[in-house]
C-alpha cells in the first residue's frame, strides 16, 4: 500500500510538471502566438504597440515561460490576466465557489441519479425499466452539453441539473453494468438460492464487491463534470471557472487558460490517484 | 449485425445520400441573403424559414450536414491513425517504451477534453477565414482526440505481441516489418474500426459544443455547431420548432452511431 501511495504521489508530481509543460508547448508553438488583437488597433501609437510586444516578450521562450510560471505558481502567484489585468489567483478564488456549487452539486446529483437508477434496475430485474433507463441515457449522451445547458435556461431550472444530466448519462451504463455483472456472481446466486431478499443481496453481497470498480470512475466523473461545466456556465451565465475558461479562450488570455488547464489536471489526477488507493484498500479488505 | 444496427446503418446512409443529392441540386449558396425576409417562418420557398440575416435555413442545414458528416469522419480517421501509431508503437515495443508512452497517454487523458480543446483552440487566431476555421477545428479534434483510442490499441497490440502465431512467426525468422504489416495490422482492423466509429459521434458533439461557444467553424460557413448557435436566441424550444431540425438531425446521427457500435465491437 505504501508503495502504491508513493507511486501515485510521483504520478501526480510528474503529471503536474508535464501537464504544465505540455500547455506551455501548445501555447508557444501555436500559430498566431505572436499576434495580439490589440496590436491591430489602428488607434494605438507605435510606442503603445511596441509596449504590447515587449509585454509578451517574456512569454516567447517555452522553457523560460514555463519555468517562470511554475516558480511563481509555487508562491501562489499565477500571473495576471491579459484581458482584465486582475490577478489570476483572485479571479479563480472569486469564481471557485460558483463552480463548486454547480459542478460539485451536479456531480453529487449525477451519482445519486445513476446509482439509484442502476440499483432500481438491479433490484427490479425488469427488462422494460432497463430499456427505458438506457434509452434515456443514450438520448442525453447524444445531446451536446451546451444544448442541455440551454434547456436549463429555457426551463428556468438550476444549472446543476444540466451537469447532473450530462454526467449521469455517462455514469449510469457503467454503474448498471457493474451491478448487473456482480449480481450474477456465484456468491450472489447462492445467497438468492438461500432465499435472501433482493435489498439484502444488494447491500450485503453486491455493493461491497462492486465498490472497487465504482471507485475507479470517480475521477473520470469529475473530469466529465468539469468539461461539461464550461458550456453550462457559459450559457447559463454562471460566474464560475467554466465561464472564466470560456472567456479566456475567446480573449486568448494565456495566463488564465494555462493556469485553469493545469489546475483542472491536478484535480483530476489527484482524484484518480486517491480513487486508485481507495480501490486498492477495498481490494485488500476483501482479499 | 442486429436489426437495430441495420436500421441505424440505413438511417446514416439515408442521411448521407440525401445530403449529397441535396447539395448537388441546391441552387442557392449557404451565404445567399434574402434581405427582405429575415427571420421568416417556414414557407414553400424556404422550407425551414430564414435566419436573422435572411439566409435560407434549409440550404444552410444541407451544407452544414455535409460539412459535419464529411469532416468528423476525417478527424476520426486522423485520430485513429495517431492512436494506431502511438498505441501500436507502445504495445509492439513493450517494456520501458510501453510504460513511458502509456504514462504520456494517461496524462493526455487526465486533461478534461473540452478544457484542453478550448485552450488549444484559443491559441489559434480567432479571426481566420471560414474555410481555415473548419480545417483548424476538425484538425484539432483529430490531433487531440487519440488518447483513449491509443490506450485500447496499445492493450490489443500487447496481447497480440505475446500471442502464439506472432511467437511462431518471430521464431521462424519473420522480419519486424513483416510482423507489423502482415500479422499485426490485419488483426487490429476490428479494434481500429470500432475506435473510428466511437470517435465520429464524439467529434460531432464536440464540434457542436465548440460551435455554440463561438470557438468552432466561423460564419458564414455552416456546420452543425454553428447552426446550433441559433438556439441561443430562442425563448424556448417550442417557440420556433423548425429551428430544432439541425439538433434533431445531429441527435439522430449520434444515436445511429451509438447503435452501430455494439459492445462486441468495442471490446474487440
Amino acid at each position: 500500500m505504501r508503495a502504491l501511495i508513493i507511486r501515485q504521489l510521483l504520478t501526480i508530481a510528474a503529471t503536474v510538471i508535464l501537464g504544465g509543460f505540455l500547455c506551455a508547448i501548445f501555447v508557444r508553438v501555436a500559430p498566431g502566438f505572436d499576434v495580439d488583437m490589440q496590436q491591430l488597433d489602428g488607434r494605438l501609437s507605435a510606442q503603445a504597440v511596441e509596449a504590447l510586444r515587449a509585454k509578451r516578450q517574456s512569454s516567447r521562450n517555452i522553457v523560460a515561460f514555463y519555468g517562470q510560471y511554475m516558480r511563481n505558481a509555487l508562491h501562489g502567484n499565477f500571473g495576471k490576466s491579459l484581458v482584465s489585468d486582475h490577478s489570476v489567483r483572485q479571479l479563480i478564488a472569486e469564481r471557485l465557489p460558483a463552480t463548486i456549487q454547480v459542478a460539485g452539486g451536479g456531480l453529487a446529483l449525477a451519482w445519486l441519479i445513476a446509482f439509484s437508477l442502476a440499483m432500481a434496475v438491479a433490484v427490479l430485474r425488469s427488462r422494460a425499466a432497463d430499456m427505458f433507463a438506457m434509452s434515456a441515457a443514450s438520448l442525453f449522451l447524444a445531446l451536446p452539453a451546451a444544448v442541455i445547458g440551454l434547456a436549463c435556461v429555457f426551463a428556468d431550472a438550476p444549472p446543476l441539473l444540466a451537469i447532473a444530466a450530462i454526467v449521469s448519462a455517462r455514469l449510469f451504463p457503467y454503474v448498471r453494468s457493474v451491478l448487473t455483472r456482480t449480481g450474477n456472481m456465484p456468491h450472489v446466486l447462492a445467497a438468492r438460492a438461500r432465499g435472501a431478499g433482493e435489498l439484502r443481496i444488494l447491500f450485503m453481497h453486491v455493493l461491497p464487491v462492486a465498490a472497487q470498480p465504482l471507485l475507479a470512475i470517480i475521477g473520470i466523473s469529475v473530469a466529465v463534470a468539469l468539461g461539461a461545466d464550461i458550456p453550462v456556465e457559459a450559457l447559463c451565465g454562471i460566474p464560475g471557472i467554466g465561464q472564466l475558461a470560456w472567456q479566456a479562450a475567446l480573449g486568448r488570455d494565456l495566463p488564465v487558460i494555462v493556469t485553469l488547464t493545469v489546475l483542472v489536471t491536478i484535480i483530476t489526477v489527484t482524484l484518480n490517484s486517491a480513487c486508485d488507493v481507495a480501490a486498492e484498500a477495498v481490494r485488500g479488505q476483501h482479499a | 449485425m442486429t436489426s437495430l444496427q441495420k436500421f441505424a446503418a440505413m438511417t446514416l446512409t439515408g442521411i448521407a445520400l440525401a445530403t449529397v443529392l441535396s447539395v448537388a441540386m441546391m441552387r442557392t449558396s449557404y451565404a445567399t441573403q434574402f434581405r427582405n425576409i429575415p427571420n421568416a417562418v417556414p414557407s414553400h420557398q424556404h422550407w425551414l424559414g430564414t435566419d436573422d440575416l435572411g439566409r435560407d435555413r434549409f440550404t444552410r442545414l444541407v451544407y452544414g450536414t455535409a460539412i459535419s458528416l464529411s469532416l468528423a469522419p476525417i478527424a476520426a480517421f486522423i485520430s485513429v491513425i495517431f492512436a494506431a501509431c502511438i498505441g501500436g508503437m507502445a504495445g509492439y515495443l513493450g517494456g520501458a517504451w510501453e510504460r513511458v508512452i502509456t504514462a504520456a497517454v494517461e496524462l493526455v487523458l487526465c486533461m478534461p477534453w473540452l478544457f484542453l480543446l478550448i485552450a488549444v483552440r484559443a491559441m489559434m487566431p480567432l479571426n481566420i477565414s471560414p474555410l481555415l476555421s473548419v480545417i483548424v477545428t476538425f484538425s484539432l479534434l483529430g490531433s487531440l482526440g487519440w488518447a483513449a483510442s491509443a490506450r485500447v490499441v496499445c492493450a490489443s497490440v500487447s496481447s497480440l505481441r505475446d500471442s502464439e502465431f506472432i511467437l511462431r512467426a518471430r521464431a521462424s525468422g519473420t522480419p519486424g516489418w513483416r510482423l507489423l504489416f502482415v500479422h499485426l495490422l490485419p488483426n487490429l482492423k476490428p479494434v481500429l474500426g470500432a475506435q473510428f466509429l466511437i470517435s465520429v459521434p464524439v467529434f460531432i458533439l464536440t464540434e457542436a459544443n465548440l460551435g455554440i461557444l463561438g470557438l468552432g467553424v466561423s460564419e458564414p460557413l455552416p456546420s452543425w455547431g454553428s447552426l446550433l448557435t441559433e438556439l441561443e436566441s430562442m425563448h424556448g424550444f417550442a417557440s420556433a420548432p423548425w429551428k430544432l431540425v439541425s439538433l434533431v438531425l445531429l441527435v439522430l446521427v449520434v444515436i445511429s452511431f451509438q447503435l452501430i457500435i455494439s459492445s462486441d465491437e468495442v471490446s474487440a
Side-chain angles (χ1 to χ4, degrees):
Chain A
M1 180 59 90
R2 188 180 291 173
L4 178 71
I5 293 171
I6 292 170
R7 202 165 60 233
Q8 296 296 349
L9 286 174
L10 285 174
T11 307
I12 294 170
T15 309
V16 169
I17 293 165
L18 285 172
F21 194 65
L22 205 63
C23 285
I25 290 173
F26 279 147
V27 168
R28 182 60 193 90
V29 300
F33 174 77
D34 292 333
V35 179
D36 189 321
M37 295 284 278
Q38 286 174 290
Q39 290 175 20
L40 302 174
D41 192 341
R43 291 167 297 181
L44 294 179
S45 64
Q47 287 89 347
V49 171
E50 202 50 49
L52 279 171
R53 281 189 187 141
K55 199 177 168 184
R56 290 193 159 230
Q57 196 68 40
S58 61
S59 304
R60 289 198 176 159
N61 183 298
I62 296 171
V63 180
F65 167 68
Y66 182 62
Q68 189 186 2
Y69 172 77
M70 289 304 274
R71 222 174 12 254
N72 291 335
L74 287 174
H75 294 93
N77 175 15
F78 299 108
K80 280 191 171 185
S81 160
L82 293 179
V83 174
S84 66
D85 212 34
H86 284 115
S87 148
V88 176
R89 181 185 174 179
Q90 184 196 341
L91 283 173
I92 293 173
E94 279 171 5
R95 286 163 178 263
L96 199 57
T99 298
I100 290 172
Q101 203 177 344
V102 173
L107 183 66
L109 190 60
W111 268 99
L112 190 70
I113 293 169
F115 217 80
S116 309
L117 277 177
M119 284 209 296
V121 166
V123 171
L124 292 174
R125 297 159 72 87
S126 153
R127 198 173 156 75
D130 188 27
M131 272 187 67
F132 176 76
M134 279 303 282
S135 305
S138 295
L139 180 65
F140 278 110
L141 279 176
L143 283 168
V147 171
I148 299 175
L150 271 178
C152 273
V153 174
F154 294 153
D156 212 10
L160 65 86
L161 282 184
I163 303 274
I166 295 160
V167 182
S168 60
R170 280 177 183 264
L171 283 179
F172 169 72
Y174 183 80
V175 178
R176 167 192 161 273
S177 161
V178 168
L179 292 187
T180 310
R181 203 170 52 234
T182 315
N184 290 327
M185 286 172 90
H187 75 282
V188 177
L189 296 177
R192 196 169 282 133
R194 281 195 210 105
E198 285 297 331
L199 279 178
R200 186 181 163 77
I201 288 173
L202 184 70
F203 285 101
M204 300 299 290
H205 300 286
V206 174
L207 287 184
V209 178
Q212 195 192 345
L214 292 180
L215 275 170
I217 57 158
I218 290 179
I220 296 166
S221 68
V222 172
V224 173
L226 287 170
D229 192 48
I230 298 174
V232 170
E233 283 190 2
L235 293 167
C236 296
I238 306 295
I241 298 291
Q243 193 194 53
L244 182 65
W246 174 60
Q247 287 169 343
L250 286 176
R252 305 179 71 228
D253 199 343
L254 189 73
V256 174
I257 198 80
V258 169
T259 305
L260 284 177
T261 309
V262 173
L263 189 74
V264 168
T265 307
I266 292 170
I267 293 170
T268 315
V269 174
T270 308
L271 270 166
N272 271 335
S273 299
C275 293
D276 282 350
V277 172
E280 186 60 30
V282 169
R283 200 174 69 170
Q285 275 182 349
H286 284 276
Chain B
M1 211 179 206
T2 64
S3 53
L4 207 57
Q5 286 175 314
K6 280 180 190 162
F7 179 72
M10 278 165 58
T11 306
L12 279 179
T13 313
I15 291 172
L17 277 176
T19 307
V20 171
L21 284 175
S22 303
V23 168
M25 289 161 65
M26 209 53 85
R27 272 179 264 169
T28 52
S29 156
Y30 55 80
T32 306
Q33 285 179 275
F34 300 90
R35 292 183 191 187
N36 50 337
I37 44 166
N39 281 319
V41 294
S43 63
H44 184 66
Q45 285 83 17
H46 305 287
W47 293 354
L48 294 174
T50 58
D51 65 10
D52 295 346
L53 298 172
R55 298 173 298 191
D56 182 59
R57 200 172 278 119
F58 179 73
T59 308
R60 290 182 62 72
L61 176 66
V62 167
Y63 280 102
T65 305
I67 288 171
S68 293
L69 267 189
S70 54
L71 292 182
I74 292 175
F77 183 74
I78 294 170
S79 87
V80 168
I81 296 285
F82 271 109
C85 293
I86 297 167
M89 197 194 298
Y92 184 69
L93 295 174
W97 281 105
E98 186 175 354
R99 282 197 294 277
V100 169
I101 297 173
T102 306
V105 169
E106 294 289 336
L107 166 69
V108 178
L109 280 174
C110 282
M111 293 181 167
W113 170 233
L114 207 55
F115 261 92
L116 183 64
L117 209 58
I118 70 162
V120 180
R121 177 68 184 92
M123 300 314 150
M124 310 282 172
L126 292 178
N127 53 343
I128 50 179
S129 72
L131 189 64
L132 200 58
S133 74
V134 175
I135 296 167
V136 163
T137 304
F138 285 96
S139 303
L140 271 183
L141 293 175
S143 53
L144 294 178
W146 51 265
S149 303
R151 195 162 60 170
V152 177
V153 172
C154 176
S156 304
V157 175
S158 280
S159 66
L160 279 175
R161 188 188 61 207
D162 300 328
S163 63
E164 211 165 287
F165 73 98
I166 293 285
L167 288 175
R168 280 185 187 178
R170 214 190 282 266
S172 62
T174 310
W177 64 268
R178 193 177 162 81
L179 266 181
L180 192 65
F181 289 103
V182 178
H183 297 287
L184 276 177
L185 272 181
N187 283 292
L188 277 179
K189 268 185 199 166
V191 178
L192 297 178
Q195 293 309 310
F196 173 79
L197 288 175
I198 291 169
S199 301
V200 174
V202 171
F203 291 167
I204 288 175
L205 286 172
T206 312
E207 190 277 324
N209 277 323
L210 284 177
I212 297 176
L213 292 174
L215 292 162
V217 176
S218 307
E219 287 280 346
L221 213 57
S223 72
W224 278 340
S226 60
L227 290 172
L228 288 177
T229 50
E230 225 185 355
L231 299 182
E232 283 181 68
S233 58
M234 289 173 75
H235 300 291
F237 287 136
S239 62
W242 54 88
K243 290 183 181 176
L244 298 176
V245 175
S246 51
L247 177 64
V248 172
L249 206 56
L250 181 147
V251 170
L252 200 63
V253 167
V254 172
I255 287 182
S256 297
F257 270 106
Q258 285 175 354
L259 288 174
I260 289 172
I261 309 160
S262 69
S263 54
D264 291 341
E265 279 170 322
V266 173
S267 60

